[in-house]
Amino acid sequence: VRVLEDRRWYPLSDRVSVCSVADWNQDAILLVDVDGVLVADVNDASDRGWGRFVRRTAARYDTSFLLALSGYGDADMINFFRPDGERIPPLAARRDPPGAAIVRRMDALGMTHFVPFASHHQYERTDSAWANEYTTPIEDHAIGFEADNRTFVPPFMRYDRSTGEISHLAPASRRGEMHEPAEFGDDWTEEPDEDDVRAISEYFSGIATLEHVVDEVTVCIGSTRIEVRIGQGTERGVRFDAPRRSFVDAVRWRIFDDLLIGNFMRTTLTGDWTPADFGREFTPRLAKYADNGLARTEAELRAYMRDYESRARTDVVRWKIERATRSGMTRTARALRRRVRGGSVVQRMGSRAYRRVRGR
């Protein structure tokens, strides 16, 4: 076993080298040089300061393949409910064409080819089968892909390095094979014992970084209701309804993220927050920083962040500035558009200035 230092290339053979980059969201990307062709396995990671490094690397190659998550947005936690029991429609229900987002990502990373990757999951439990409605069919990934200098490659393919030819493998689909929760040890009527209740309470109360995110976490297993007080003043709460076996295993093994994205557990949000807020504020502190990164207090989290940022401080600072600038400019632009008549001199001058500043 050899630990790969961030941003350092390691030869595996005369014609194959690899380079790994990890970030504080517990994601990592893998760059592979295959005899002068770059393959970037980004999986489901988002740029957190490594995008500039990938762009600089890709600029040295005539041919580069980006392997990344794409689709309507179903590859995430989407089993959310309102307090009245009504399901909150996921963003994937809008079915925004994935191709446009793919082109933007290729442009941002400077890649020549794209292959949908980590995008072909399906739900095979009967209590999560509802989510199959929001998965992305293979042929839909290319909808909206329009770029003269970029190439979309359907998934399940073979690339011949010596000839540059791409052939399609077309494996048979497995869709339609369903399994009952009991096959995985889950019984929705099973009650937790005292040790389970204690473990669940200690698990959530032990993550101090959640105090400014949520006031209370409620867990419902069988007919048992476990209430864990977390913070005070947020006026937010979250309730999890799940079968005993999976929930207790996720808590004891500290793999709560797997339970979230399984989409059979019901998550009910109370108070003034949305699924996007939950994914941005609650999930990282629990599943990424605490479970995987072992940072459960504010002091531990600060040290955790410093460690990751120190690996490429300049790129991380640039990324933070660019992200804040984009966010601020987007809010400002929206506000101005509501007040300025379209097509007016002011609107045209503002648009030109906006493009110049954003370009810089």
Side-chain angles (χ1 to χ4, degrees):
V1 175
R2 187 174 184 182
V3 176
L4 304 185
E5 181 181 337
D6 275 3
R7 305 185 179 217
R8 177 181 172 186
W9 285 91
Y10 293 83
L12 302 185
S13 71
D14 292 340
R15 293 190 293 175
V16 178
S17 299
V18 296
C19 174
S20 175
V21 185
D23 63 47
W24 64 84
N25 199 50
Q26 293 296 309
D27 288 324
I29 67 169
L30 182 69
L31 305 180
V32 187
D33 181 317
V34 184
D35 195 24
V37 170
L38 178 66
V39 178
D41 175 5
V42 175
N43 206 343
D44 61 346
S46 298
D47 180 12
R48 284 177 171 78
W50 44 257
R52 186 164 176 259
F53 174 74
V54 174
R55 286 194 301 272
R56 293 198 307 265
T57 302
R60 303 198 300 264
Y61 294 82
D62 293 329
T63 303
S64 54
F65 287 85
L66 175 60
L67 280 56
L69 175 71
S70 63
Y72 293 126
D74 54 282
D76 203 349
M77 178 189 179
I78 59 175
N79 200 16
F80 286 100
F81 290 81
R82 298 187 177 94
D84 61 5
E86 182 181 358
R87 187 188 301 279
I88 300 175
L91 289 177
R94 294 172 13 186
R95 302 182 78 82
D96 293 331
I102 292 172
V103 172
R104 289 194 298 271
R105 195 166 199 192
M106 294 180 72
D107 288 343
L109 298 178
M111 311 297 288
T112 64
H113 295 67
F114 180 86
V115 183
F117 197 66
S119 307
H120 316 300
H121 56 276
Q122 57 188 344
Y123 298 90
E124 295 188 348
R125 287 175 57 127
T126 56
D127 50 3
S128 63
W130 65 273
N132 281 319
E133 176 184 351
Y134 302 105
T135 56
T136 308
I138 288 178
E139 60 274 13
D140 285 13
H141 290 273
I143 297 176
F145 187 95
E146 298 177 359
D148 295 333
N149 58 339
R150 310 290 182 198
T151 302
F152 179 92
V153 183
F156 307 114
M157 48 77 81
R158 176 183 288 113
Y159 175 74
D160 189 320
R161 173 66 187 95
S162 61
T163 64
E165 293 182 357
I166 296 175
S167 56
H168 304 287
L169 305 180
S173 172
R174 296 182 63 246
R175 190 171 297 280
E177 183 179 340
M178 302 305 297
H179 302 272
E180 295 296 329
E183 295 184 44
F184 311 101
D186 277 339
D187 178 354
W188 280 83
T189 66
E190 185 179 5
E191 302 290 337
D193 57 30
E194 292 183 3
D195 288 340
D196 297 335
V197 173
R198 185 182 308 107
I200 291 170
S201 298
E202 292 176 351
Y203 174 73
F204 287 107
S205 62
I207 304 176
T209 56
L210 291 176
E211 292 178 359
H212 304 297
V213 177
V214 65
D215 287 349
E216 187 172 68
V217 173
T218 302
V219 179
C220 295
I221 300 176
S223 62
T224 303
R225 183 183 179 96
I226 306 166
E227 297 180 350
V228 185
R229 195 69 185 175
I230 304 294
Q232 185 175 359
T234 70
E235 298 183 355
R236 290 172 168 181
V238 59
R239 168 179 163 174
F240 298 116
D241 289 75
R244 173 189 173 274
R245 173 68 179 273
S246 284
F247 198 92
V248 172
D249 280 355
V251 166
R252 294 189 184 280
W253 287 97
R254 300 191 183 280
I255 52 171
F256 206 78
D257 199 27
D258 291 344
L259 186 59
L260 293 173
I261 63 175
N263 283 318
F264 55 87
M265 178 176 72
R266 294 167 57 105
T267 300
T268 302
L269 302 178
T270 59
D272 184 21
W273 61 338
T274 65
D277 297 327
F278 184 91
R280 184 171 50 248
E281 302 172 29
F282 185 95
T283 302
R285 286 173 170 80
L286 183 146
K288 306 293 187 178
Y289 311 150
D291 276 2
N292 292 347
L294 307 181
R296 299 183 176 89
T297 68
E298 292 294 342
E300 291 172 344
L301 183 56
R302 286 193 296 270
Y304 169 94
M305 289 298 184
R306 283 197 302 270
D307 182 86
Y308 276 100
E309 292 178 5
S310 68
R311 303 181 185 189
R313 193 174 304 280
T314 301
D315 280 354
V316 171
V317 170
R318 286 175 62 103
W319 172 79
K320 287 184 175 181
I321 293 173
E322 290 170 359
R323 183 183 64 166
T325 302
R326 285 195 300 269
S327 178
M329 292 179 69
T330 300
R331 289 195 300 270
T332 301
R334 287 173 180 166
L336 289 175
R337 289 191 192 105
R338 291 194 293 267
R339 294 171 171 80
V340 177
R341 181 171 58 85
S344 66
V345 174
V346 174
Q347 187 270 333
R348 293 197 301 272
M349 292 176 62
S351 293
R352 286 196 295 270
Y354 176 84
R355 287 194 294 270
R356 285 198 299 270
V357 173
R358 183 160 186 171
R360 292 176 184 176

